[in-house]
Structures are given as C-alpha cells and as structure tokens.
Amino acid sequence: MNLGPFTQSDALSIGVELELQIVNRHNYDLMPCAPDLLRLLQGRKLPGVVTPEMTESMIELATGICTGYDDALAQLTEIQGALVEAANKLDVGLAGGGTHPFQHWAQQRIFDKPRFLQLSELYGYLSKQFTVFGQHVHLGCPDADTALYTLHCISRFIPHFIALSASSPYVQGEDTGFHSARLNSVFAFPLSGRAPFALSWEDFERYFDKMTATGVVKSMKDFYWDIRPKPEYGTIEVRVMDTPLTITKAARIAAYIQTLGAYIQRERPFEPQEDDYLVYTFNRFQACRFGFDGTFVDPATREHRTLREDLIRTLVKLEGHATDCKSDVALRELLADVSARGNDAEWIREVFSREHHLPEVVRQQAGRWMAPSTPIT
Amino acid sequence: MINSYLPAWPLHPDGVFWVGAALVLATLTGESVYRFLKWPRLVGYAAAGMILAAGGAGLNVYELQNSARAIVDTALAVLLFEIGHRVNLRWLRANPALLGMSLLESALGFGAVWITLVFLGFTALQSAIVAGVLMATSPAVVLRISSEFNARGQVTERLLLLSAINTFYALLICSLLLGMMDADGPQGTAASALHLLYLLGGSVLAAALLAWAVNWVERHFDFRDEGGALMLVGLIVLTLSLTRMLNWSALLTPLLAGALLRWRSPRPRLWPRHFGTAGGVLMVLLFLILGLSLNARILLAGGLAAALVIVVRLAAKLAGALAFGRVSGASWRQSVALGLSLNPASGVSFVLALSFLGSSAGATLHPMLAVAFSAIAMLELLAPLLTRWALGYSGDIAPGPGSRATGGTA
C-alpha cells in the first residue's frame, strides 16, 4: 500500500481525540455499552465525530479542525454535552483517566468490527490489555518536510505531555507507582516507540516502502509511535497523553502543543539529530514514573534538571507565541498545575487515600468528566 | 447387653440427614445442568426439589412448614435488599421512558392475566389475585442468572430495574387486594384502609432503619470481607424478624431499604454476590424448597388455565418492552430480549400467593391459588432458560469461554 501524498492543512490548526471509559453505575467497572451510545448519537449533528474503539467499553470522540484553544474547548463541550445526555439515558458513567483502575482485561469484549477483530487475532491478550485510554492531538503542518521537522523537534517535549496528562496510576487494582502506567501497555506493541529519524518526506517514504516490503506493516495505522505523521490530514499526531480527567485539561494540553508548534515552526530553534534520541526513552520513563518530579536530560546540552523546572522554563519562554495563538489562559493554568496543583494522577491517588475504595475513585472521576465544563477566562 | 453400642436396625435418619441429602442432590443437579447444558444452576436446584417431591419427600404448599417458610423469607429478604440496591432511581428521572415501560409491562401483564382468568370463569377478585401475584419478575432468578453468567449491558441493567419495580407494584397490589378481602369480611372498609396504612408506613420506617444501620456499620466494617457480609445478612434478618413481629411487610421492607440506601448514598458498594457463602446457601435452599413445594402434582393441577396465563403474560410483557424500547434508547433486538427475559416468577410470587392462604377467605381460594402455584412452577423451570437465552441473544452474556467465567462480585 502506498503512503500517499501529504495533504496540505492549515498550519497550526489542531484536532483533539479522546478515548473514554464507559463504566456502570453499580460498581463502576467497565461496561460494554459503546454500541448503545453510538446508536443514541446517530443522526445527531456534532462538530466532530464519536467512534468505536477496540473494546466495547471504550468510546472515542474527536473534534473537527480547531483554530485554537477556545475553539477546541467549545467543540469538546458540545460533544461532551451530547455524550453525557446519551450516557445518562443509559445509566452509564463516562470517565477520563489513562487506565481503568481495577478492570480485568480478560473480561473485555472486542468491538465487532473487522479491523478490531483482526487486530485482536494478531495481538491476542495484548489487544484486550490495550484497554487503555489516551488523548491524541493533531497539529496542522503546511508541508511534509515541516511536518517531519516539527515531529523531531517536538519529540524533545514528549515528557512534558506525559507528565501534564498523566492519569493512570492504578492498573488491575494495584498502585503501579507510575503517574502514567498506560504507556507501559503501549510499549508492549512491537511497532511502538519513536518514528525513524527522517527529515525529508522522500526519506520517510523510502523507510515506509521498505517496511511495507517486509510485509510487517500495511499502513501508517500499524505504527503505534508516540508521534506519527498523518499524511491524509496533513498533520502530525501526538499520541503519548493519557486522557485527562476533564475536557478543559485536554483542551489546555492541545493548546500547549499548538503553541509549541508555533514556536518550532516560526523560530526553527533546534537542529534535530539522531543523537537527540539517546535520552528519549530515559526522559519518557522518568515522566511516566515520577511525573513533574522526574529527571529531564536536555538532549542538546546533556544537562540534568527536573521535569518541573524544564516545563516552567518552556511555558515562560512561550509567552509571546501563546499570546499570538490565544492560548495564554490555557498555558497559565498548566503552569499552575506544574507549580502547585499537580496532575490528575496525583488527584486520583489523593482521592484513593481519602476513600480507600477504587470504585468510589472511578465514580468521582466520572463525576468530573461529566460535569459541565467551566472554563476560567 | 454386649452390642448395646450398636445402633438399632433399621436406621432412622433424622431431619439433618434429609437436609444434607437434599443439598447434595440439589447442588449436584445444579452443577450438572450448568456444566453440561450451560443452563442456569437454579433450574437444577428446583428440578432436584421436584425429583425429591416425586419420590415422596415433597412439601405441602398449602401447609408449608414453619422452618421451610423461614428459609424462604430470609432468602427473599436478602435478595430483595440486593436488588433494591441495584436500582438507581435517578435513572428513571434521566430516562422517563423506562418508567413508562415499567408501568406498561406491569399493567399489560396484570390485565392480560386477569382477563384470561375472568374469561375462564373465575371471579374478578380471584383473577386479580393471580394477576397481582404474577406481576413480579423474580428478583432471585434475575440476580442469579446475571451474576452466574457475568451478564453486562443494557438489557441486564434494565431487567434488574424492571424486576425491582414490578416486584414493588406486585407487593402494593397484593396488599391492596388483601385489604379489600378483609373489607368484605368482618373488619369493614375503614379498618382495612387503616391496616394498609399501618403496613406501608411501618415498612417504610423499618426500611429507613435498616438503610441507616447498614450505612452506619459500613463505615466501620469492610463489606468485601466475608465477616462484613455476614453482618449485613444479620442486619437484614433482624429487620425481617422485626417486621414480622410488628405485622409489617417482610418483602417490601428489604426492597425499599436497598433502594433507599442506594438513593441516599451513591458510593459504590462491593459486597460479595448474595453476601457470600451464607447467602449462597440460602439461594440453593430457596430454589430447592420451591421445587419441593411446587412439584409435578401442583404443576399439573393448574392445567390449561395456568398454561394460558403464562402465554398471555409473556405476550404482555414483551409488548410493554417493545412499546417503549426504542424511545428508551434500546435497539429492537435488545427490546425483544428484555421483553422475553422478564418472564421468571418464583419466590416473591410464591410468598405472595401464600399470603392469601392466610387471609380470612383463604380456604375458598384454593382452586384459584392452584392456578397461581402451577404457573409459578412452570415458570420456575422454563423462564430461567428463556432469560438466559435472551441475555445471550442481546449480547449481554458473551458467547464462548467468557460465559463460563463466573465473575467476582455481582
């Protein structure tokens, strides 16, 4: 299969995808009600789409093309409203969070769609264990080479996105000690990790052709990279985030990615090199494991600092671009998370230490996701 | 004498022997039908009771022993509390079509049975008794099957909700009918109305008390433990005894208590299904006793009338589920499955029918109650299979090896 041309998209436009947990209101375990939700939303006009995911207890929503933070939040709010209405009609809860804290993977049911059944066949228990919930953000790029340049520059900030969105401390009923344990499940897949180091579209196409020739992959969809180009949309897709507990935070993280994109595409501040990736998995692991307290190794200078420090520096540095992108409010809120409030993983642990009951934690998670959003302006 | 320590021959097994033998036979049958036929175990328990009854060990339903009755009451109290707690009253507000569905399926079911019996020549009041008794979808069967086969999905949730609500309607209607019978008798209308008020008011009070007590104990014990679960069973049994002493409704109280607890505090609770081993034994005994009392002789006594009643009830419940299916957000397939899965009748209907035996006009009701008992006996064997099939048809019970998993907590 051919990779196809790289579609042109509005530079710095964004799109947000969120995978959500569907839980019952009795013991707050996962509940296979995706087909019911989809049926109730049929024919309803939304600014984006709601689609099935791998197992029937997951559902994915996606905005259309958004100009920025306000637009993304408005679209997310509208889709959230429709989903919450449908969920209430079915007496199910919808929750954010990168993992369901106590579901048993063996009990999940694969959504009845040829692609999912085929994947399930291939990956076996991995596909059921892949009942994890992520946020993906698409960032529009004016051309293919800029897309690849942006991709390799933004790789440096992957730990930021992980720490900001982390919301999966519990897996199968246990505290993993991680802020984002979800990414450990993603790592189990043979084609996960980082994109190959290619800065021109020809190089990338050559890599893709070689890979398809091996018969290992058929399309871009088979790569579970942290960031991957999406030629048919003309975007790069950042895929490392856990689904945050609220749509407001999801929109803020998308705004941060957009602002970083503006910084990278306008200033071209880095000269990406293969050696940048020497520290990549280390940084990524530190973010997953320790959140903002993780160690961050600067790929260029090899300097060590905490992720918190690097995030604050970056957020401050982006102020000018944030004003241009109208994402300054969003970034200020993220700064407050980094310096004072903590991330969603910490919130989840706090609730558990108060309640000592994981189903109650999920109930409160669902309460947060389903509550009408109150954007701070 | 030299052999004084040897027992006298022939041996005379005591009651304990028969209880043990019955339990072994019941669980053996239950496990067999589950393993080889993938049928619900409870069908096996009831069938074992019927087999024993055919061998001459049956119970006389018209003069049920106190011990058997006590076990049935306790098992039902536990089950009704459990299903009451599964009911999320807020769901009815978010989806009023479900309330419509519940009212319609119950009303149609009642009406269909009533008209059939009147048509067959029974009096209006007598027909109403059978119709009221059969209004309830058995909470015992529904809870058992959904947890045994790990059913998850919209049909299961709706089935549990409708079962709890139509059981509530059945309890109200039967109390009303009992009151009306007494009003015809020596008491007079005013006194029987007062009686009804006392019964309902007292049951609500006892329910509130039980809900409060569970909530209080819960803050000090972990109900996921066997010990905590036993404590819960203890509280339910204590309340049961209280309601019996005070002549309140022993069925309405636990049902209301469960619903009240859920409504007042939405914190999820993970007690073991049917509250652990104690509850599990009660379940087996419940279906065993039902099989022993509603045996083949009783089953045949109702004859054509009972069979007709079952058929029209099935059609009525199906129609109710279909009428509000799509509006309430279910697919056609799910609506059909829900309508069919609503058929079970067992413990609650059984006890309700018994309660009319104890009324002032009890003796004259025997032919009428024979129809009710016979219908319950048939449904006891057939309806669980239909419910099991329907939940598979809707996809709530996963096909293949998944359906063998018994799941953790219900």
Side-chain angles (χ1 to χ4, degrees):
Chain A
M1 191 175 151
N2 208 317
L3 182 55
F6 191 90
T7 313
Q8 205 188 348
S9 70
D10 290 337
L12 302 179
S13 57
I14 48 175
V16 182
E17 295 170 12
L18 295 175
E19 290 159 354
L20 297 171
Q21 317 185 6
I22 308 171
V23 295
N24 74 46
R25 288 229 173 265
H26 165 60
N27 61 14
Y28 288 85
D29 199 352
L30 287 175
M31 169 104 158
C33 275
D36 303 290
L37 281 171
L38 289 168
R39 189 177 54 249
L40 288 186
L41 290 174
Q42 234 168 42
R44 181 148 178 175
K45 227 177 132 39
L46 292 172
V49 289
V50 178
T51 48
E53 251 302 322
M54 190 80 177
T55 66
E56 290 190 341
S57 308
M58 318 171 73
I59 198 150
E60 177 172 318
L61 68 83
T63 65
I65 300 166
C66 310
T67 54
Y69 173 61
D70 290 337
D71 191 17
L73 188 54
Q75 292 197 20
L76 284 172
T77 305
E78 198 175 331
I79 302 170
Q80 175 210 32
L83 269 171
V84 167
E85 196 187 307
N88 283 335
K89 207 167 172 184
L90 299 170
D91 199 34
V92 296
L94 297 172
T99 51
H100 184 279
F102 63 88
Q103 57 103 4
H104 286 284
W105 61 265
Q107 288 186 1
Q108 299 316 317
R109 290 177 201 162
I110 302 298
F111 195 99
D112 189 10
K113 211 169 112 170
R115 179 175 157 79
F116 294 144
L117 295 174
Q118 192 188 328
L119 285 175
S120 164
E121 184 100 332
L122 171 63
Y123 288 116
Y125 92 107
L126 279 185
S127 56
K128 283 186 178 180
Q129 215 176 14
F130 200 50
T131 305
V132 290
F133 309 84
Q135 173 184 2
H136 301 171
V137 173
H138 284 271
L139 178 68
C141 298
D143 57 76
D145 288 358
T146 311
L148 290 173
Y149 173 76
T150 314
L151 186 154
H152 290 292
C153 288
I154 232 169
S155 278
R156 185 192 181 284
F157 300 98
I158 283 293
H160 290 198
F161 310 146
I162 293 172
L164 283 169
S165 66
S167 57
S168 51
Y170 294 94
V171 173
Q172 314 275 307
E174 303 293 339
D175 190 335
T176 59
F178 279 67
H179 282 237
S180 171
R182 167 183 153 269
L183 281 176
N184 297 331
S185 304
V186 182
F187 243 1
F189 283 81
L191 297 169
S192 64
R194 44 159 284 216
F197 192 73
L199 284 174
S200 74
W201 195 246
E202 290 105 71
D203 285 351
F204 187 79
E205 271 180 326
R206 210 165 300 130
Y207 169 83
F208 184 82
D209 290 342
K210 278 196 286 184
M211 275 308 278
T212 41
T214 64
V216 173
V217 294
K218 288 198 178 65
S219 75
M220 275 306 293
K221 274 189 171 174
D222 296 321
F223 292 110
Y224 289 88
W225 296 331
D226 295 345
I227 318 177
R228 70 181 178 196
K230 181 99 177 169
E232 53 278 41
Y233 289 1
T235 61
I236 58 168
E237 185 187 8
V238 182
R239 301 152 46 83
V240 288
M241 285 81 72
D242 284 358
T243 301
L245 296 185
T246 57
I247 53 167
T248 321
K249 177 163 284 185
R252 285 175 191 155
I253 290 170
Y256 179 46
I257 291 173
Q258 183 195 35
T259 316
L260 274 171
Y263 164 62
I264 289 164
Q265 290 183 9
R266 286 175 193 161
E267 291 190 22
R268 296 187 79 90
F270 309 106
E271 206 52 64
Q273 338 189 351
E274 175 65 47
D275 278 3
D276 291 349
Y277 285 101
L278 289 175
V279 293
Y280 183 78
T281 39
F282 175 84
N283 283 344
R284 190 181 186 274
F285 163 76
Q286 286 282 325
C288 289
R289 175 74 175 84
F290 301 108
F292 299 137
D293 294 324
T295 305
F296 178 80
V297 183
D298 192 308
T301 65
R302 314 281 155 92
E303 200 185 320
H304 286 222
R305 49 183 165 264
T306 64
L307 195 50
R308 175 175 287 110
E309 222 179 307
D310 196 65
L311 249 165
I312 293 174
R313 271 194 207 185
T314 311
L315 285 165
V316 171
K317 198 190 314 176
L318 289 180
E319 262 173 9
H321 293 287
T323 319
D324 290 350
C325 297
K326 298 204 180 77
S327 61
D328 42 339
V329 180
L331 264 54
R332 217 174 302 139
E333 289 298 323
L334 291 180
L335 191 60
D337 285 346
V338 178
S339 47
R341 285 193 296 236
N343 62 18
D344 286 344
E346 289 169 80
W347 183 88
I348 290 172
R349 282 207 174 91
E350 232 173 77
V351 174
F352 182 74
S353 69
R354 198 168 53 234
E355 306 286 353
H356 305 289
H357 194 39
L358 284 173
E360 173 64 13
V361 175
V362 180
R363 189 181 77 82
Q364 295 192 20
Q365 263 173 252
R368 281 191 72 184
W369 199 87
M370 294 174 87
S373 67
T374 46
I376 307 159
T377 43
Chain B
M1 276 170 60
I2 192 162
N3 57 353
S4 61
Y5 53 86
L6 291 175
W9 201 259
L11 296 172
H12 287 285
D14 57 5
V16 177
F17 174 87
W18 291 116
V19 171
L23 261 179
V24 168
L25 182 67
T27 42
L28 213 57
T29 328
E31 292 305 315
S32 304
V33 300
Y34 180 71
R35 181 165 315 174
F36 300 119
L37 302 169
K38 299 217 171 71
W39 285 3
R41 290 185 176 91
L42 61 93
V43 174
Y45 305 153
M50 291 187 182
I51 294 166
L52 284 172
L59 300 171
N60 182 353
V61 62
Y62 295 100
E63 287 162 25
L64 199 62
Q65 289 162 322
N66 283 333
S67 53
R69 180 62 200 266
I71 290 171
V72 169
D73 282 352
T74 313
L76 286 181
V78 169
L79 281 165
L80 286 168
F81 181 82
E82 194 179 355
I83 201 166
H85 187 260
R86 279 298 295 260
V87 176
N88 183 7
L89 292 175
R90 290 179 178 85
W91 191 10
L92 295 178
R93 200 171 51 195
N95 193 349
L98 286 174
L99 189 62
M101 182 192 285
S102 152
L103 285 167
L104 187 67
E105 67 90 5
S106 303
L108 282 180
F110 182 93
V113 173
W114 185 79
I115 287 177
T116 307
L117 290 175
V118 168
F119 182 75
L120 289 176
F122 291 96
T123 71
L125 185 67
Q126 289 191 346
S127 307
I129 290 173
V130 179
V133 161
L134 287 177
M135 224 165 150
T137 298
S138 166
V141 173
V142 169
L143 277 172
R144 250 339 273 230
I145 293 182
S146 63
S147 66
E148 197 163 283
F149 293 93
N150 193 20
R152 293 184 303 157
Q154 278 299 307
V155 177
T156 309
E157 293 298 315
R158 285 158 193 242
L159 174 59
L160 289 166
L161 179 79
L162 293 181
S163 165
I165 302 179
N166 64 25
T167 298
F168 176 73
Y169 298 150
L171 295 178
L172 282 189
I173 295 260
C174 288
S175 302
L176 202 69
L177 288 171
L178 273 171
M180 280 166 67
M181 286 169 61
D182 286 342
D184 289 344
Q187 265 198 350
T189 311
S192 73
L194 209 62
H195 179 191
L196 193 65
L197 209 64
Y198 171 79
L199 181 93
L200 295 181
S203 302
V204 172
L205 191 72
L209 200 70
L210 177 57
W212 175 84
V214 172
N215 197 26
W216 184 85
V217 171
E218 193 178 34
R219 275 183 269 136
H220 301 87
F221 290 87
D222 190 348
F223 280 144
R224 278 167 294 180
D225 294 347
E226 190 84 347
L230 260 180
M231 164 93 76
L232 191 61
V233 173
L235 283 174
I236 295 171
V237 173
L238 271 181
T239 314
L240 172 67
S241 135
L242 184 79
T243 52
R244 285 217 285 205
M245 278 188 283
L246 293 167
N247 281 334
W248 294 338
S249 169
L251 296 174
L252 200 53
T253 302
L255 181 67
L256 287 178
L260 199 63
L261 184 65
R262 171 72 185 270
W263 181 56
R264 291 292 298 165
S265 74
R267 182 184 165 94
R269 296 175 180 82
L270 287 186
W271 37 57
R273 72 175 135 131
H274 319 319
F275 314 111
T277 318
V281 174
L282 280 175
M283 287 319 108
V284 179
L285 288 176
L286 168 69
F287 291 109
L288 184 63
I289 291 172
L290 286 173
L292 284 169
S293 355
L294 302 178
N295 48 44
R297 199 171 45 80
I298 295 281
L299 194 150
L300 294 174
L304 191 65
L308 257 179
V309 159
I310 289 178
V311 173
V312 297
R313 180 176 178 269
L314 183 144
K317 287 195 177 291
L318 184 61
L322 286 177
F324 279 92
R326 291 290 292 172
V327 212
S328 68
S331 67
W332 282 114
R333 178 182 271 257
Q334 286 173 325
S335 307
V336 170
L338 180 58
L340 294 178
S341 65
L342 280 168
N343 274 288
S346 66
V348 169
S349 302
F350 177 71
V351 169
L352 281 176
L354 286 183
S355 70
F356 286 97
L357 264 184
S359 73
S360 47
T364 64
L365 293 175
H366 279 209
M368 190 72 252
L369 290 176
V371 176
F373 284 134
S374 165
I376 298 170
M378 292 180 196
L379 287 171
E380 189 72 54
L381 287 181
L382 299 177
L385 298 179
L386 190 57
T387 301
R388 162 69 188 88
W389 178 84
L391 291 179
Y393 174 71
S394 74
D396 281 36
I397 296 176
S403 62
R404 291 290 301 278
T406 43
T409 48

